[in-house]
Amino acid sequence: ASRIADEFDSLRLARSPPKVTIADFPHLWVKQWWDFTSKFGVGYVLSDGSVGVIFNDRSRLVFESPTVVAYRVAPDIPAIERGASAPETVRLDIERDTPPDRDVNKKITIASSFRSRLLADADAKPIETSRGGLSAALSLSHTVAPYATTSDEEGAPYVKDCFRTSKGVFWRLSNRTVQCNFVDGSEILLATASRLVVFTDASGKQGAHALEDRAFETDHDLRRAMRWTKDMITVATTRRAR
């Protein structure tokens, strides 16, 4: 009988989601962005102050300090095409170093314009702003210095992928966080490594959930947002496979 009781307790505990709070979530998200894909790409500001651009050709540039940038070639360009000896990431001091080619030089100029616009007036159109992120109280109590290394890669964190669908904007960050800003004003932050979700509904109500949380079965808005997120992840996977 004791063995059966132990097995029942184990099953019950396995079905009970762990209690999580917003403080358990990685403190990084896309705070503001300017969608200029009609010409260049998307410029963004992360919650730690990092500013970057993901260009239409899927190359990426992030300011690691006010004068140092990291430029990353598009992930789908093979080494044979960019040159076997050419690095995937190039770091430059824009005040001292000479860019390796005209394309990188042009993108530094474009990224600098994005940065100036994003930091000058966050409320100006057409700049869009996250209505979720993490709570204001958490943001204030976990202040991160601008250009801090909170990525799983060397250097400042950055956006690895970004695209817009009829449902909203999808972001994949270098620290493995997925963020979706939906057309109804709601937002999901998904930490794939820790299996945590922070959901902000259209009214601004915010909550943290483990992926095993029963709220995914009972909360209609959360369930719909997760369905949309899965659809976007499928699109992202297809893009990466191309």
Side-chain angles (χ1 to χ4, degrees), residues 79-99:
I80 192 171
E81 184 176 329
R82 68 173 186 269
S85 61
E88 294 183 13
T89 302
V90 177
R91 284 183 171 81
L92 299 165
D93 185 319
I94 58 179
E95 293 184 348
R96 296 183 307 175
D97 300 332
T98 301

Side-chain angles (χ1 to χ4, degrees), residues 35-239:
D35 187 343
F36 201 3
T37 49
S38 60
K39 196 168 185 180
F40 299 121
V42 179
Y44 59 85
V45 181
L46 298 182
S47 56
D48 73 337
S50 300
V51 180
V53 179
I54 181 162
F55 294 97
N56 287 340
D57 66 359
R58 298 181 67 194
S59 60
R60 296 147 295 176
L61 186 148
V62 63
F63 286 86
E64 296 192 334
S65 78
T67 61
V68 176
V69 301
Y71 172 77
R72 293 172 172 87
V73 298
D76 49 359
I77 295 181
I80 192 171
E81 184 176 329
R82 68 173 186 269
S85 61
E88 294 183 13
T89 302
V90 177
R91 284 183 171 81
L92 299 165
D93 185 319
I94 58 179
E95 293 184 348
R96 296 183 307 175
D97 300 332
T98 301
D101 54 53
R102 292 177 60 186
D103 181 59
V104 175
N105 186 51
K106 179 181 178 181
K107 287 174 177 174
I108 291 173
T109 301
I110 294 169
S112 296
S113 297
F114 267 110
R115 182 175 180 271
S116 297
R117 180 67 178 273
L118 285 163
L119 297 182
D121 189 355
D123 297 325
K125 292 183 178 181
I127 296 174
E128 300 175 75
T129 302
S130 164
R131 295 176 58 186
L134 302 183
S135 68
L138 176 69
S139 301
L140 291 173
S141 62
H142 292 81
T143 301
V144 180
Y147 315 111
T149 301
T150 53
S151 169
D152 59 358
E153 300 183 20
E154 181 184 357
Y158 65 97
V159 171
K160 280 194 165 186
D161 197 11
C162 169
F163 58 87
R164 188 183 293 268
T165 73
S166 60
K167 295 180 176 67
V169 184
F170 173 92
W171 310 89
R172 183 167 65 94
L173 278 58
S174 58
N175 72 338
R176 299 177 65 187
T177 291
V178 167
Q179 175 174 332
C180 296
N181 294 90
F182 300 112
V183 292
D184 66 352
S186 62
E187 177 185 279
I188 265 191
L189 295 171
L190 169 62
T192 56
S194 54
R195 296 177 60 81
L196 297 178
V197 170
V198 172
F199 176 60
T200 306
D201 67 19
S203 70
K205 181 181 177 182
Q206 190 175 75
H209 309 274
L211 284 180
E212 299 83 6
D213 199 323
R214 295 181 187 274
F216 290 102
E217 301 174 7
T218 59
D219 187 319
H220 169 75
D221 292 338
L222 177 59
R223 188 169 66 250
R224 181 185 62 180
M226 279 300 293
R227 185 173 68 249
W228 286 356
T229 301
K230 290 178 181 178
D231 291 344
M232 287 183 165
I233 290 175
T234 299
V235 173
T237 302
T238 302
R239 284 163 55 91

Side-chain angles (χ1 to χ4, degrees), residues 5-27:
D6 289 343
E7 290 179 352
F8 177 81
D9 287 341
S10 298
L11 179 62
R12 179 176 57 81
L13 290 171
R15 291 177 58 84
S16 300
K19 292 183 178 181
V20 297
T21 67
I22 294 174
D24 296 315
F25 200 90
H27 305 151

